[in-house]
Amino acid sequence: MAEPEFDPTPAPLRPPVVFDQQWCNVSFLHWPVQPAAIAGLFPAGCRPDTVAGLSYLGLVPFQLRGIALGRGGAIPYFGSFAETNVRLYSVDDAGRHGVVFCSLDTARLAVVPIARLLFGVPYNWARMQVSQPAPDRWHYRSRRRWPGRGPACTLTVRVGRPVRPTPLEEWLTARWGLHARIGGRTRWVPNSHQPWPLHEAEVLELREDVIAAAGLPPSGDRLRALWSPGVRARFGRPVRLD
């Protein structure tokens, strides 16, 4: 397979910092997808990012901790809570490699209207749980509650040894922003964080219909699963594409 050509380091984040948060106990699952099958899901000004003619979809459950506005202290109400996102990989004419969220389920109802308004992402309220049933295992469970009931995801992984990501895995995880429609225009929302510390992961259980609910058709076998203890991430001010 041809190796992706991109810079795996983030551009300096221009002030001000809008959000500061930690992404913890993250699992990454990916499948190939045909770019033509997903092209209609991207906002104007960006398109499916590809390697050797294929794009990818990701299923990424994790815990979010320590949300802070700007460089202030963490907001007490939010604490630690679970999220699961279904995402695609995007690039724009300026060469910025990002993600487009097809769905993002969260256990905090208050996050839903705020994130939909500020970041234009399709947040949903869900009943969620993240647990560690054994030292080397992580279990994620979610079922959507609002604005549409039903789609669910259950995942259990066994965490293995630390690994150096392949060029494709680095391309999938080293994403420094998102593309979204905010206020009727496509915007780039930049973020910055340290490189992911990654471990190999074995999928012990996977039952989900959130990918089908997003209208995404995988076109091949799932890639190697990965897990990370997490990183601290900062988000900058959205930038207009048009």
Side-chain angles (χ1 to χ4, degrees), residues 160-236:
R161 61 184 177 84
V163 294
R164 169 175 284 185
T166 67
L168 176 59
E169 290 169 340
E170 189 171 46
W171 181 85
L172 289 165
T173 56
R175 294 279 150 166
W176 309 119
L178 65 96
H179 292 101
R181 294 291 288 181
I182 305 173
R185 295 184 179 275
T186 303
R187 300 178 192 266
W188 166 255
V189 183
N191 69 44
S192 179
H193 57 76
Q194 294 298 312
W196 288 100
L198 294 169
H199 294 244
E200 64 181 7
E202 178 187 0
V203 175
L204 302 178
E205 177 186 20
L206 176 60
R207 292 180 287 112
E208 62 80 24
D209 56 5
V210 291
I211 291 175
L216 299 176
S219 61
D221 295 336
R222 178 174 48 82
L223 305 184
R224 174 174 70 166
L226 298 169
W227 180 88
S228 175
V231 295
R232 179 180 177 183
R234 297 181 301 154
F235 284 85

Side-chain angles (χ1 to χ4, degrees), residues 65-77:
R65 296 176 179 168
I67 296 180
L69 291 173
R71 296 184 180 274
I75 304 171
Y77 163 75

Side-chain angles (χ1 to χ4, degrees), residues 14-48:
R14 296 177 59 185
V17 173
V18 178
F19 280 106
D20 191 330
Q21 56 195 240
Q22 296 179 52
W23 299 329
C24 305
N25 305 315
V26 186
S27 285
F28 294 97
L29 275 64
H30 287 101
W31 291 261
V33 63
Q34 294 295 330
I38 59 172
L41 300 176
F42 288 71
C46 68
R47 58 191 180 277

Side-chain angles (χ1 to χ4, degrees), residues 54-91:
L54 286 174
S55 196
Y56 291 83
L57 67 91
L59 175 65
V60 185
F62 63 103
Q63 288 177 305
L64 199 153
R65 296 176 179 168
I67 296 180
L69 291 173
R71 296 184 180 274
I75 304 171
Y77 163 75
F78 290 103
S80 174
F81 57 93
E83 293 197 348
T84 296
N85 66 63
V86 176
R87 68 194 201 183
L88 300 172
Y89 295 90
S90 54
V91 64

Side-chain angles (χ1 to χ4, degrees), residues 42-186:
F42 288 71
C46 68
R47 58 191 180 277
D49 207 354
T50 62
V51 175
L54 286 174
S55 196
Y56 291 83
L57 67 91
L59 175 65
V60 185
F62 63 103
Q63 288 177 305
L64 199 153
R65 296 176 179 168
I67 296 180
L69 291 173
R71 296 184 180 274
I75 304 171
Y77 163 75
F78 290 103
S80 174
F81 57 93
E83 293 197 348
T84 296
N85 66 63
V86 176
R87 68 194 201 183
L88 300 172
Y89 295 90
S90 54
V91 64
D92 60 30
D93 289 341
R96 292 173 292 211
H97 301 265
V99 300
V100 167
F101 289 112
C102 298
S103 68
L104 211 162
D105 295 347
T106 178
R108 284 288 188 270
L109 176 60
V111 171
V112 175
I114 296 171
R116 282 177 174 256
L117 177 65
L118 293 181
F119 290 119
V121 296
Y123 264 89
N124 307 289
W125 183 34
R127 187 184 304 277
M128 309 187 77
Q129 180 187 30
V130 178
S131 61
Q132 189 178 13
D136 64 345
R137 298 189 187 191
W138 284 90
H139 179 74
Y140 311 84
R141 178 178 295 173
S142 68
R143 181 170 293 278
R144 200 168 296 167
R145 305 172 72 175
W146 185 87
R149 288 183 177 271
C153 179
T154 297
L155 170 68
T156 304
V157 299
R158 177 186 290 125
V159 178
R161 61 184 177 84
V163 294
R164 169 175 284 185
T166 67
L168 176 59
E169 290 169 340
E170 189 171 46
W171 181 85
L172 289 165
T173 56
R175 294 279 150 166
W176 309 119
L178 65 96
H179 292 101
R181 294 291 288 181
I182 305 173
R185 295 184 179 275
T186 303

